């Protein structure tokens, strides 16, 4: 018996009507964030003071879609200088309450403020005097009433057609927590170096490397005096394999550089018998050890060079950055 497959409906291509739906969603959520910004008050400041003064960690919890947002919030705090982790409220009721210490604080997320799975965590914080921050849309809810620090979201409509699927509310939760985390970063003076400490892997960590992290030490780089002969400079260039040699004046300050291009320009001039100072390109571009490696890369790209000397404040060389090292580390 041959079974004839049922014809499948072919959806119509997306159109301007679909774009209008997308724009409406974004407009609703943008309006909610604008309302949220206007609603910030002293409760926000109190929450900031609490989190900044914690001797322990910020424990973030939530159920359902709020739980997914809570996981991201905990990750954001942890990567920006506030020790933080997520606890699932159902797991908390089965032993994970022991993860919450006396020096910790809890940030509980619930759009309605009546999430039953949060009841055990709320009761635990009340019993053991653990500070509780509640983020909810309803100021009259149980969560808002029980917490020490209520963070009230604007009563904005969800962006879905039936106003039920968590969309606007979860966006507002995420943005509210971002505001907390970034405010704390600025209060603490959280720097790019601090950020790289928590992000050593991946592209972000690579792009936050400093020149001092990637440069070759002064003992390993090619250097020579202005009055030396080019025959000696050629030996150093060949031995160090950077394609150049830095030139020093009598005080040890870097006054020039000899590159492959300089060699080609003087090939017909009895090159090996010439003084280095007569062949070098004076006042070469250099960088400092404390700048970002990507800034050094930008200089190299702008000058179409493959090596860049690193100097101290007095102009004396302390290292060298090579394009191959930047490529190997993923900076380039």
């Amino acid at each position: 018996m041959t079974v004839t497959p049922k014809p499948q409906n072919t959806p119509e291509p997306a159109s301007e009507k679909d774009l209008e739906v997308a724009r409406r969603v974004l407009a609703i959520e943008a309006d909610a964030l604008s309302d949220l910004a206007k609603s910030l008050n002293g409760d926000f400041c109190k929450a900031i003071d609490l989190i900044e003064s914690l001797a322990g960690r910020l424990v973030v919890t939530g159920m359902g879609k709020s739980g997914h947002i809570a996981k991201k919030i905990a990750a954001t705090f942890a990567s920006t200088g506030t020790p933080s982790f997520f606890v699932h409220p159902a797991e908390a009721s089965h032993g994970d309450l022991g993860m919450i210490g006396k020096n910790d604080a809890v940030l509980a997320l619930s759009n309605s403020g009546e999430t039953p799975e949060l009841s055990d965590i709320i009761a635990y914080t009340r019993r053991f005097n653990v500070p509780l921050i509640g983020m909810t849309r309803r100021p009259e809810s149980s969560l808002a009433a029980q917490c020490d620090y209520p963070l009230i979201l604007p009563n904005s409509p969800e962006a879905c057609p039936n106003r039920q699927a968590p969309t606007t509310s979860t966006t507002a939760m995420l943005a509210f927590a971002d505001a907390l985390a970034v405010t704390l970063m600025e209060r603490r003076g959280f720097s790019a170096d601090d950020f790289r400490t928590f992000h050593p892997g991946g592209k972000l960590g690579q792009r936050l490397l400093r020149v001092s992290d990637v440069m070759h030490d002064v003992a390993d780089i090619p250097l020579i005096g202005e009055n030396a002969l080019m025959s000696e400079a050629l030996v150093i260039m060949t031995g160090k394999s950077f394609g150049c040699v830095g030139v020093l004046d009598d005080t040890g300050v870097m006054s020039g550089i000899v590159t492959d291009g300089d060699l080609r320009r003087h090939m017909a001039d009895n090159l090996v018998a010439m003084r280095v100072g007569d062949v070098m390109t004076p006042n070469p571009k250099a960088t400092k050890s404390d700048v970002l490696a990507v800034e050094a890369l930008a200089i190299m790209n702008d000058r179409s060079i493959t090596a860049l000397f690193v100097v101290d404040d007095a102009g004396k060389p302390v290292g060298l950055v090579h394009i191959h090292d930047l490529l190997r580390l993923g900076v380039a």
Side-chain angles (χ1 to χ4, degrees), residues 45 48-49 52 182-190:
C45 296
I48 286 289
D49 290 340
E52 186 178 29
V182 174
T183 302
L184 284 163
M185 286 178 67
E186 296 203 12
R187 279 174 65 113
R188 291 168 170 156
F190 195 83

Side-chain angles (χ1 to χ4, degrees), residues 224-231 233-234 237 245-247 255-283:
I224 197 168
E226 291 179 353
N227 294 318
L229 293 176
M230 280 301 301
S231 57
L234 289 171
M237 287 180 67
V245 59
V247 184
S255 59
I257 187 173
V258 177
T259 67
D260 292 336
D262 295 312
L263 300 184
R264 288 191 294 271
R265 281 189 290 273
H266 292 277
M267 273 297 194
D269 301 330
N270 192 17
L271 177 65
V272 294
M274 296 180 68
R275 289 175 58 255
V276 170
D278 296 328
V279 176
M280 72 179 190
T281 298
N283 303 315

Side-chain angles (χ1 to χ4, degrees), residues 134-158:
M135 189 181 293
T136 178
R137 183 173 51 86
R138 296 177 57 204
E140 74 282 1
S141 64
S142 299
L143 176 59
Q146 291 292 329
C147 73
D148 305 294
Y149 305 87
L151 299 178
I152 306 302
L153 302 168
N155 190 17
S156 304
E158 301 290 7

Side-chain angles (χ1 to χ4, degrees), residues 15 18 51 62 76 114 117 141 164 192-193 251 259 267 269 299 301:
S15 63
D18 300 297
I51 298 170
T76 296
E114 303 294 346
E117 291 85 354
S141 64
Q164 302 239 339
D193 280 337
T251 65
T259 67
M267 273 297 194
D269 301 330
I299 296 173
N301 286 334

